[in-house]
Amino acid sequence: MKRFNITNEPINNQDVIDQVIHHNAGAVSVFIGTVREMTGDKQTKFLHYEAYVPMAEKQLQKIGEEILVKWPKAITAISHRIGTLQISDVAVTIAVSTPHRQDAFDASRYAIERIKEIVPIWKKEHYTDGEEWVGNQKGTEAYPAGHPEGVEK
Amino acid sequence: MKRFNITNEPINNQDVIDQVIHHNAGAVSVFIGTVREMTGDKQTKFLHYEAYVPMAEKQLQKIGEEILVKWPKAITAISHRIGTLQISDVAVTIAVSTPHRQDAFDASRYAIERIKEIVPIWKKEHYTDGEEWVGNQKGTEAYPAGHPEGVEK
Amino acid sequence: MVHILLFAGLAQQAKTEKVTIDVNSPLSVEEIRGLLQNQVGPLKGIEHALVAVNEEYVELTDQVKDGDTVAFIPPVSGG
Amino acid sequence: MVHILLFAGLAQQAKTEKVTIDVNSPLSVEEIRGLLQNQVGPLKGIEHALVAVNEEYVELTDQVKDGDTVAFIPPVSGG
């Protein structure tokens, strides 16, 4: 399995975790994003994710490199699923191992925030009362200055 | 499987995760503590954990209840292994699900800190140059005022 | 030829994910964006899209040359 | 009878994990701690141990009665 992976198949969390466990890891922080049914008073029936796959995998790898700069002993693996997902399906699994736990938590949280900034993946919500591409409709979620903060050129 | 569990067997991370996934969870933060080989310049050969099992399971459950007070929609599951563990073996797996990711990270971190304060489990390090009960020898790791902060009586 | 990739809401509006444009001389990303909309019609929100050339984010003023792949990347929503 | 449980370094020093003590009248946790050490010898660090009676943390001044289980809990190190 690739450490930075966009896949059409269900994600096996343990496969992602296995990529980062090693003899000097003492802590692994895993973040799993699952499909939630209710968002406010809107009910999701299912989701559809699409990605610009080769670039998305490159950007995931870039996040792993950014983490290694900030937390030099951190090993990162990320799998993001695309296609149609049902309620409770795993959309993304991030695993980061470090010698000590504080860094693992911080790096894992950093990874999910960066995914939401720089990785070309899009989510379409299929609600009981309609459908919508998330982040595409509202000015507030557009990139403020043409580029998300921190995008390297 | 019990949601709050002390076990002599290897921990299956997915079993712990499965305890907390549900239709209104959007985020699961999993913390996995593994046996690290090097601590400073000391090399661990293997570890031994022992527990006051029935009380330890009660205290893990208490941590789950504390989390539910602080993050009302958080569902927690914790398994801690005891006995002899080799390098890279999983000692503890904590999974917390919440609707939104920030709470999952915070609650997961809270759980591991509380385990280190109130759960009667002890670790004996078997180093290449000797053995030692962790936390038992140094005045700095004794409970400052007879009780760890926040222990309920 | 420049290959243009559209995603999510932009692909839905354009009713296609791929467009090719003939170019004879190097053009800026911004000029490509204009030619694209001449060809497929106006794309609402494309001004909020990032642009990647050959899978790397670029600026609107950067140049695009024959053979490049230009992707318009609306605000992402993975995770 | 009061059942006393020892763990980790305390059990190692006492060379046992279980001690029973006959009590005729209620005693404080602190008094139990003294009787224990009369029986098994001085236990280094026991003053840093928490005490649980019947699996709940208690204070040194709390009373222990016939049939109770008293656990001396040295600084924990799980996780």
Side-chain angles (χ1 to χ4, degrees):
Chain A
M1 207 187 87
K2 286 183 285 190
R3 278 213 288 134
F4 301 98
N5 189 38
I6 304 288
T7 176
N8 271 290
E9 303 298 318
I11 293 173
N12 180 318
N13 294 311
Q14 188 60 47
D15 285 349
V16 181
I17 294 166
D18 285 342
Q19 308 277 324
V20 306
I21 287 190
H22 65 100
H23 68 123
N24 271 327
V28 183
S29 176
V30 184
F31 178 81
I32 301 167
T34 56
V35 179
R36 189 179 59 236
E37 184 170 11
M38 299 304 296
T39 297
D41 57 358
K42 280 181 115 49
Q43 184 178 7
T44 295
K45 285 190 301 181
F46 61 91
L47 291 185
H48 183 81
Y49 280 99
E50 77 175 49
Y52 180 14
V53 175
M55 182 168 170
E57 290 189 341
K58 274 193 195 174
Q59 294 296 104
L60 292 179
Q61 187 166 352
K62 187 172 288 184
I63 292 171
E65 290 160 6
E66 290 176 3
I67 285 173
L68 210 46
V69 170
K70 288 173 175 281
W71 297 278
K73 294 180 173 177
I75 308 297
T76 304
I78 307 174
S79 283
H80 200 300
R81 186 172 169 192
I82 54 174
T84 300
L85 277 73
Q86 308 298 324
I87 304 300
S88 290
D89 278 354
V90 174
V92 62
T93 300
I94 300 164
V96 184
S97 70
T98 58
H100 299 283
R101 66 186 182 283
Q102 186 72 34
D103 289 347
F105 280 112
D106 291 344
S108 174
R109 192 182 295 210
Y110 177 83
I112 181 66
E113 299 305 332
R114 288 298 273 162
I115 286 173
K116 291 171 182 289
E117 287 172 354
I118 68 164
V119 181
I121 300 174
W122 300 272
K123 172 164 72 174
K124 191 179 204 172
E125 288 268 8
H126 292 258
Y127 298 116
T128 47
D129 63 351
E131 58 185 54
E132 128 182 274
W133 285 103
V134 176
N136 203 15
Q137 317 291 330
K138 314 173 203 159
T140 54
E141 296 193 24
Y143 304 117
H147 274 285
E149 190 185 351
V151 168
E152 291 169 35
K153 290 176 304 238
Chain B
M1 208 187 85
K2 284 183 287 189
R3 277 212 289 137
F4 301 98
N5 189 37
I6 304 289
T7 177
N8 271 288
E9 304 297 319
I11 293 171
N12 180 317
N13 294 311
Q14 188 61 46
D15 285 349
V16 182
I17 294 166
D18 285 342
Q19 307 278 323
V20 306
I21 288 190
H22 64 100
H23 69 123
N24 271 326
V28 183
S29 176
V30 183
F31 177 81
I32 302 168
T34 56
V35 179
R36 188 180 61 236
E37 185 169 12
M38 300 304 297
T39 298
D41 58 358
K42 281 181 116 48
Q43 185 179 7
T44 295
K45 285 190 301 180
F46 61 92
L47 291 185
H48 183 81
Y49 280 98
E50 75 173 52
Y52 181 13
V53 175
M55 183 168 168
E57 291 188 340
K58 273 191 196 175
Q59 294 296 105
L60 292 179
Q61 186 166 354
K62 188 173 287 184
I63 293 171
E65 290 159 6
E66 290 175 4
I67 285 173
L68 210 46
V69 170
K70 288 173 175 282
W71 297 277
K73 292 180 176 177
I75 307 297
T76 304
I78 307 174
S79 284
H80 200 300
R81 186 172 168 193
I82 55 174
T84 300
L85 277 72
Q86 308 298 325
I87 304 299
S88 290
D89 278 355
V90 175
V92 62
T93 300
I94 299 164
V96 184
S97 70
T98 58
H100 299 283
R101 68 188 181 281
Q102 185 71 33
D103 289 348
F105 280 113
D106 291 343
S108 175
R109 190 180 296 209
Y110 177 83
I112 182 65
E113 300 304 332
R114 288 298 273 161
I115 286 173
K116 291 170 181 292
E117 288 171 355
I118 68 163
V119 181
I121 300 175
W122 299 272
K123 172 164 72 171
K124 191 179 205 172
E125 287 269 7
H126 292 257
Y127 297 116
T128 47
D129 65 351
E131 57 185 55
E132 128 181 274
W133 285 104
V134 176
N136 203 15
Q137 318 289 330
K138 312 173 205 159
T140 53
E141 297 195 22
Y143 303 117
H147 275 284
E149 190 186 351
V151 168
E152 292 170 34
K153 292 176 305 238
Chain C
M1 287 221 303
V2 167
H3 305 274
I4 297 176
L5 302 179
L6 299 172
F7 299 95
L10 293 177
Q12 204 166 314
Q13 289 178 70
K15 298 189 176 62
T16 180
E17 297 180 341
K18 288 185 189 174
V19 177
T20 51
I21 293 183
D22 281 316
V23 295
N24 298 314
S25 55
L27 294 174
S28 72
V29 167
E30 195 162 15
E31 288 168 318
I32 293 284
R33 192 170 73 181
L35 290 176
L36 167 68
Q37 292 181 93
N38 276 347
Q39 193 158 327
V40 302
L43 297 175
K44 198 171 155 236
I46 197 169
E47 70 280 8
H48 296 307
L50 290 189
V51 183
V53 172
N54 303 332
E55 303 176 7
E56 296 288 341
Y57 288 114
V58 298
E59 298 284 0
L60 283 180
T61 50
D62 285 358
Q63 295 289 300
V64 175
K65 58 184 196 311
D66 192 42
D68 282 348
T69 297
V70 180
F72 288 90
I73 302 196
V76 304
S77 50
Chain D
M1 289 222 303
V2 167
H3 305 274
I4 296 177
L5 302 178
L6 299 172
F7 298 95
L10 294 178
Q12 205 167 313
Q13 290 177 70
K15 298 188 175 63
T16 181
E17 296 180 340
K18 287 184 189 175
V19 177
T20 51
I21 293 183
D22 280 317
V23 297
N24 297 314
S25 55
L27 294 173
S28 73
V29 167
E30 194 162 16
E31 288 167 318
I32 293 284
R33 193 170 73 181
L35 290 176
L36 167 68
Q37 292 181 91
N38 276 348
Q39 193 159 326
V40 302
L43 297 174
K44 199 174 155 234
I46 198 169
E47 70 278 9
H48 296 307
L50 291 190
V51 183
V53 172
N54 303 331
E55 303 175 8
E56 295 289 341
Y57 288 115
V58 298
E59 298 285 358
L60 283 180
T61 50
D62 285 358
Q63 296 288 300
V64 176
K65 58 184 193 312
D66 192 43
D68 281 349
T69 296
V70 181
F72 289 90
I73 301 196
V76 304
S77 50

